[in-house]
Structure formats: structure tokens, C-alpha cells
Amino acid sequence: MKKIEHIGIAVKNIENSNDLFSKLFGKPHYKTEVVESEGVKTSFFKVGSNKIELLEATNKESPIARFIEKKGEGIHHIAFEVSDIESEVERLTNEGFIVLNDKPKKGADNKLVVFLHPKSTNGVLVELCQEIKK
Ligand code: ZN
């Protein structure tokens, strides 16, 4: 793994949270993106070299809706950048980690993503992401 790519925060209302986090960071979000296949609306902030992703559910079956129902708003996942997501999935599977989707899928921000099950990572939802080359 190369570095933390972003931290994902589950929120109930992304417009309200955009206001809140722009006050916190002293600057507005730089992009918004809906990933309909995941049932999420996202917005991204840059803080120095780090990124924060806000996630709002777009429907009741969305993983974000279920997360907020169970745990409330808050940190949802930590995303790590990898250069070769397929070999990273193979390495982690061999190490005994449980992968939620073994085929990388298209996530927000032009990335291929794979999630690891939190029960195999001490309760932390880990996202692996690899930039899609254009
Ligand atoms: Zn993410």
C-alpha cells in the first residue's frame, strides 16, 4: 500500500455537511459525485495532501443508510492507494483478510475499489483504491 488516499465520513445530509466541513477546513469541497451502483452521493475536500470524502445515502438500502442506522454519522472507512489492486487483493486474501468484492468495481473519483470486511480488520472498513488510467 502506498498511502492513505482518503478518509470516508458517513453523513445524513451532504449539503449541511458540506457547509460544516467547509467551515472546518476553511475552503469549499472541490467536487460532488453520485455513484448510483453504490447508493451514495459523495463530496470531496482537499486538506493539504489529504482528501476527505463525505458520503450520503441515495436510498434506504445503501450501505451508508445501514451504517448510519446502526452507528450514526461518523468515520465510515479509510481508503489506501495501491498501484496494482488485483495483486493486492490476492496478497491480502492469502494473508486471511476477507474481501467484500473480489472483483474491483468503479468507485467515486475515477478509482477502482475493493473493500475489506471490517470483521477481518479489527472493525475498520478498509477500501483499496487504484486510479483508473485514462
Ligand atoms: Zn472512499
Side-chain angles (χ1 to χ4, degrees), residues 26-51:
K27 57 181 146 184
H29 66 283
Y30 66 93
K31 85 162 162 185
T32 305
E33 189 178 344
V34 174
V35 185
E36 207 41 74
S37 57
E38 294 296 301
V40 296
K41 184 173 180 185
T42 66
S43 69
F44 286 88
F45 290 83
K46 274 201 180 97
V47 187
S49 57
N50 299 303
K51 278 166 35 184

Side-chain angles (χ1 to χ4, degrees), residues 6 53 77 127:
H6 62 269
E53 172 186 39
H77 65 270
E127 174 185 343

Side-chain angles (χ1 to χ4, degrees), residues 6-18 29 31-45 52-65 68 73 76-77 107-109:
H6 62 269
I7 293 173
I9 298 176
V11 302
K12 286 182 185 161
N13 180 304
I14 206 158
E15 274 76 35
N16 293 346
S17 297
N18 280 339
H29 66 283
K31 85 162 162 185
T32 305
E33 189 178 344
V34 174
V35 185
E36 207 41 74
S37 57
E38 294 296 301
V40 296
K41 184 173 180 185
T42 66
S43 69
F44 286 88
F45 290 83
I52 301 292
E53 172 186 39
L54 303 183
L55 303 119
E56 180 196 70
T58 57
N59 64 66
K60 282 196 180 72
E61 282 73 47
S62 162
I64 295 301
I68 288 178
E73 293 177 296
H76 177 257
H77 65 270
D109 203 26

Side-chain angles (χ1 to χ4, degrees), residues 9 21 57 59-60 62 71 91 106 114-115 133:
I9 298 176
F21 283 89
N59 64 66
K60 282 196 180 72
S62 162
K71 300 188 175 172
R91 183 181 75 81
K106 189 151 180 347
V114 169
F115 286 93
K133 302 252 161 37

